[in-house]
Amino acid sequence: MIREHFLGTWRLMGMRLVIVCILFNVFISLDSAHAVDDLEKSIYFVGIASHTGGVAETPLLYSERDVRRVARVFSDLGGVDPANSVVLVDPSVQQVRKVFSVLSDGRVKKGDELIVYISSHMDPESFHLGVDKFMFSELLDSAKATGASFRIFIIDGCKSGSVTQKGLSLVGSVKAIKPVRRVAEGEVLLTSTAPDEDALESERLGGSFFTHYLVSGLMGAADIDANGKVSMEEILDFTHDNTVYATAGSPTGSQHPSFKLDLAGSGPAILTRLGGTSDSNARILVSHTSKAVAYLMNSRSGLLEAEFPLVRPGQLVVPPGEYKLRIAGPSGVFEGILNLAEAEVTDLYTVPLSRVNLLTLIRKGQGVVPMRPLLRAEFLGSLPGVQGFGLAPGFRASASIEWRSLSVFMSMSYLFSKTQNPTVEFGLHHMGLELGISHAIHLGFFALRFGIGLDGIALYEQLSAREKGVDTQGNRFSLAFGLSPLVGLDVPLGSNLLLSLSIRGKVLFSAQNIGKLVPDLGVGLGWVF
């Protein structure tokens, strides 16, 4: 309104200076009034976590943790009084209705705000609360009935983008969103996916990708202009861009959060203030920039709490406690421990760090992935019946070049087997040189290897027999080649050391044996440089 008045009056050339001065004073007054309104208004939070849905739907693993993290950050930094925050875990439809009924009894005043976060299975029309369904249209109506002027809905569920096709006006692109203003009334809808996409959870995060970046952003990672406040447009940009990037390598493809807005008003829409309302929170300051990303892991739970791009100065507000800090960038990966006391302020770059050589990458597509040499030493045992008699012990040493999940390797092996009876003693020396390729599938704390090798094999046979009092001895040397499918398991034991298990089903081809199976089992250690 002020801007329209200003533009309309601008044409009155004789009064230009006077009008500018008047409007400037009015703007300052209105800005002060907004600050007063922020102190007087109340913000309410309703969080709903439902792990189960229909019979055919796999239970969600981290819904409760996600909703409690969101509730905590809005309580600590978003101005939500704990008395005005409620979290429902696996509720019935009746319990959800009761909460909104209580909020509609007159306690919520005009100008107040309501934030609703839901993590559940869903379809385009409803949320799945166990076997029951809570309609999206009922959610909108119930929230509006509370009397809250500004309503924010955050929906984390598969195909949640379907609900953005109903009820609110579409915003075509996150980058096209105009600055969101502090509203007199209106609604904002954030969903974790596009209409036809699945929402993804992560063991490493202990939650969903979408909620992880939402919480990281609210804690300060989305504060693009480093003014100590996280605005609506900042959280939309940060959550969208990072969720798309982090899920790019998933089997189902990238996950694209969706946003819809229907707002009216003036003044910046601030979701969290990094000054916060809790005096116990600690602060991690980023005093200068780099192309690295900081990852903050809770030492007690082992789960990732937040990540922070270091491309700009800023701060991250976290509860006190012990954290493992990992910084990954073009110069390598570094780790350190952060012990944060209540209200402590720590500069990120004063934390002692040590370089880490990782067996696996943190994220796909981040910079150039170097090739890494790996040495293995294994004790071998051919399975019973390999040569028609007992167990054949041996040893194998191998060297490989690892790049991403692929490996090219060369190995040398030796097996010896011996059998004897009252008349015959037979020994076999089996020496092999193998070249091959393998592919690794990383599954959390271990990796499965599948590959195939081509062997050149030297066989040296020793025979000693006694028949009718006559001793006979003979030696024979022969060559063979083999084809060796392999399955292996690698378990990291440290930054560079790993436990190596492998099974090969070697098929021999020689003048004496065509297609003879010689399987072996290897157990040993590997070292990644």
Side-chain angles (χ1 to χ4, degrees), residues 138-155:
E138 183 178 354
L139 173 67
L140 289 179
D141 292 341
S142 299
K144 190 171 184 179
T146 64
S149 297
F150 185 22
R151 300 172 296 280
I152 301 175
F153 303 93
I154 305 171
I155 313 298

Side-chain angles (χ1 to χ4, degrees), residues 384-408:
V386 167
Q387 308 295 342
F389 46 84
L391 181 69
F395 178 83
R396 175 166 48 233
S398 66
S400 63
I401 297 294
E402 313 278 324
W403 184 79
R404 292 190 183 272
S405 60
L406 295 178
S407 173
V408 177

Side-chain angles (χ1 to χ4, degrees), residues 284 325 327 335-338 340 346-354:
I284 303 171
L325 173 66
I327 297 179
E335 279 189 355
I337 298 295
L338 265 173
L340 298 174
T346 300
D347 192 306
L348 182 75
Y349 292 98
T350 63
V351 180
L353 299 173
S354 57

Side-chain angles (χ1 to χ4, degrees), residues 233-256:
E233 59 267 28
E234 286 177 328
I235 201 65
L236 296 186
D237 278 344
F238 181 85
T239 304
H240 175 273
D241 292 351
N242 283 276
T243 302
V244 170
Y245 176 74
T247 57
S250 71
T252 57
S254 290
Q255 177 180 326
H256 298 79

